[in-house]
Amino acid sequence: MEEIDRLKQQLLFLKTASRTNLIQRLTNDLKQWNYKRKIKQKYRYFYDGVNKSVKKLVEIQQAKSHRYQFIISQFNDAVMQSARYTLSELERRKTAIDELSDFISGALGEQKVVKTLEALSDKYFLINDFAVSFSPPLYNRQENEYIQSLQVDHILVGPTGVFLIETKNWSEKSLENTNLRSPVQQIRRAGYVLFLLLNNKMSRYQLHLGKHHWGDKKVSIRNLIVLINTKPKEEFQYVKILTLNELIGYVTFFNPIFSSMETQKIAEFLINVNNQRTIMTDRN
């Protein structure tokens, strides 16, 4: 509208201007014609120009109007729709934090066990993060299952025996959680494999201890689950549940059954197996 008013003022100025000669009058008439043409064109395309200028704003206004109608007619659905992405992102972050917290908690628990066992004499050997895989998988007849790999938090070898230790830094709530995998089954499974290894049940891996005049010496495994905070009242077959404070007393309670040389030989054997990472087994 301002542009049209400007053209009208210019046209009015030309109409009132005095021109003396023919050339000036012809030039003035031509300019007036041109201004009239521009004014007419501005009026003709006025609404098209307005619509083009505000088209985006109209689209935004229509979208907001539809959204407003949706909100007032289906308020609960609108709230859930708006919050869906935020809620899913919060859930994703919570899951990541929970997983990281479990990892950190477990690592702290294992470190506490290592620190506690450092109080033992140098006659004891501690192997942390014992992990091997089996090719082909090892068949466990007792449980009717194939074992593809094995991971153990700690193996303690000393004059009083070989101790398989699984650490759990669980709360009382975690102890009651039926969704968590049973550490009893986990360590019994590991104890079975370790027993085969140490008692020459895998022909490719032989531990040669000094023989007794009655026959070959058996290497027994004591399965321990160490709970950092609290432990259940129940007892479990073939597995001993201990708190961190009970660990040293239990390990040193038993009478010595291995000589220093035998203890060292067992520890070196397990370290070599752990370094190989993959054990070639006989098919059963």
Side-chain angles (χ1 to χ4, degrees), residues 43-184:
Y43 274 119
R44 180 181 301 170
Y45 298 105
F46 177 79
Y47 289 105
D48 290 339
V50 171
N51 290 335
K52 184 177 180 181
S53 299
V54 302
K55 180 180 179 181
K56 190 64 178 179
L57 294 176
V58 170
E59 291 176 354
I60 294 173
Q61 189 275 335
Q62 289 176 343
K64 289 185 177 295
S65 177
H66 292 156
R67 179 64 180 169
Y68 174 73
Q69 294 299 325
F70 175 69
I71 290 173
I72 61 175
S73 62
Q74 303 180 53
F75 181 77
N76 291 334
D77 291 342
V79 171
M80 291 302 299
Q81 187 183 79
S82 298
R84 186 176 295 120
Y85 173 78
T86 303
L87 291 174
S88 63
E89 178 63 14
L90 288 174
E91 185 65 28
R92 184 191 67 79
R93 293 183 183 184
K94 181 181 181 300
T95 300
I97 290 172
D98 289 344
E99 291 176 354
L100 185 60
S101 297
D102 290 342
F103 174 79
I104 293 173
S105 178
L108 289 175
E110 292 177 20
Q111 186 59 35
K112 288 181 179 180
V113 168
V114 172
K115 193 71 176 176
T116 299
L117 293 175
E118 287 178 353
L120 294 169
S121 69
D122 56 6
K123 295 180 180 180
Y124 289 85
F125 297 86
L126 180 62
I127 304 170
N128 298 311
D129 298 321
F130 184 87
V132 292
S133 58
F134 306 101
S135 180
L138 184 67
Y139 179 61
N140 182 358
R141 291 187 177 90
Q142 296 177 354
E143 301 293 336
N144 190 27
E145 64 173 352
Y146 283 93
I147 302 174
Q148 294 183 335
S149 61
L150 177 69
Q151 194 280 325
V152 180
D153 292 337
H154 319 280
I155 298 177
L156 180 68
V157 182
T160 56
V162 178
F163 300 88
L164 188 59
I165 304 173
E166 188 69 25
T167 302
K168 297 297 180 185
N169 194 4
W170 285 0
S171 63
E172 290 188 17
K173 183 178 180 181
S174 296
L175 293 178
E176 302 298 327
N177 189 346
T178 57
N179 293 323
L180 293 176
R181 182 183 178 185
S182 168
V184 172

Side-chain angles (χ1 to χ4, degrees), residues 96-284:
I97 290 172
D98 289 344
E99 291 176 354
L100 185 60
S101 297
D102 290 342
F103 174 79
I104 293 173
S105 178
L108 289 175
E110 292 177 20
Q111 186 59 35
K112 288 181 179 180
V113 168
V114 172
K115 193 71 176 176
T116 299
L117 293 175
E118 287 178 353
L120 294 169
S121 69
D122 56 6
K123 295 180 180 180
Y124 289 85
F125 297 86
L126 180 62
I127 304 170
N128 298 311
D129 298 321
F130 184 87
V132 292
S133 58
F134 306 101
S135 180
L138 184 67
Y139 179 61
N140 182 358
R141 291 187 177 90
Q142 296 177 354
E143 301 293 336
N144 190 27
E145 64 173 352
Y146 283 93
I147 302 174
Q148 294 183 335
S149 61
L150 177 69
Q151 194 280 325
V152 180
D153 292 337
H154 319 280
I155 298 177
L156 180 68
V157 182
T160 56
V162 178
F163 300 88
L164 188 59
I165 304 173
E166 188 69 25
T167 302
K168 297 297 180 185
N169 194 4
W170 285 0
S171 63
E172 290 188 17
K173 183 178 180 181
S174 296
L175 293 178
E176 302 298 327
N177 189 346
T178 57
N179 293 323
L180 293 176
R181 182 183 178 185
S182 168
V184 172
Q185 294 178 356
Q186 181 181 354
I187 198 166
R188 285 182 59 178
R189 181 172 176 265
Y192 168 77
V193 175
L194 197 61
F195 178 84
L196 295 182
L197 273 172
L198 294 179
N199 288 278
N200 302 326
K201 301 298 183 180
M202 297 183 184
S203 59
R204 301 185 187 186
Y205 297 86
Q206 298 290 315
L207 173 64
H208 300 288
L209 294 180
K211 287 192 175 183
H212 190 274
H213 64 280
W214 286 359
D216 293 334
K217 202 169 184 179
K218 176 184 175 182
V219 181
S220 59
I221 314 295
R222 299 188 186 277
N223 299 323
L224 307 181
I225 297 176
V226 178
L227 292 166
I228 304 301
N229 299 308
T230 184
K231 69 175 185 178
K233 298 177 181 179
E234 294 80 6
E235 296 287 338
F236 300 92
Q237 192 175 24
Y238 308 122
V239 178
K240 185 66 176 178
I241 310 293
L242 301 171
T243 62
L244 186 62
N245 295 332
E246 298 171 331
L247 179 58
I248 293 294
Y250 182 84
V251 168
T252 58
F253 170 79
F254 302 97
N255 294 323
I257 56 175
F258 297 127
S259 66
S260 297
M261 184 177 294
E262 289 173 332
T263 301
Q264 185 171 348
K265 186 175 287 189
I266 294 172
E268 290 176 350
F269 174 79
L270 290 173
I271 291 172
N272 289 334
V273 170
N274 193 36
N275 289 337
Q276 292 181 33
R277 293 298 180 182
T278 300
I279 294 179
M280 304 303 295
T281 61
D282 295 328
R283 291 187 178 275
N284 296 310

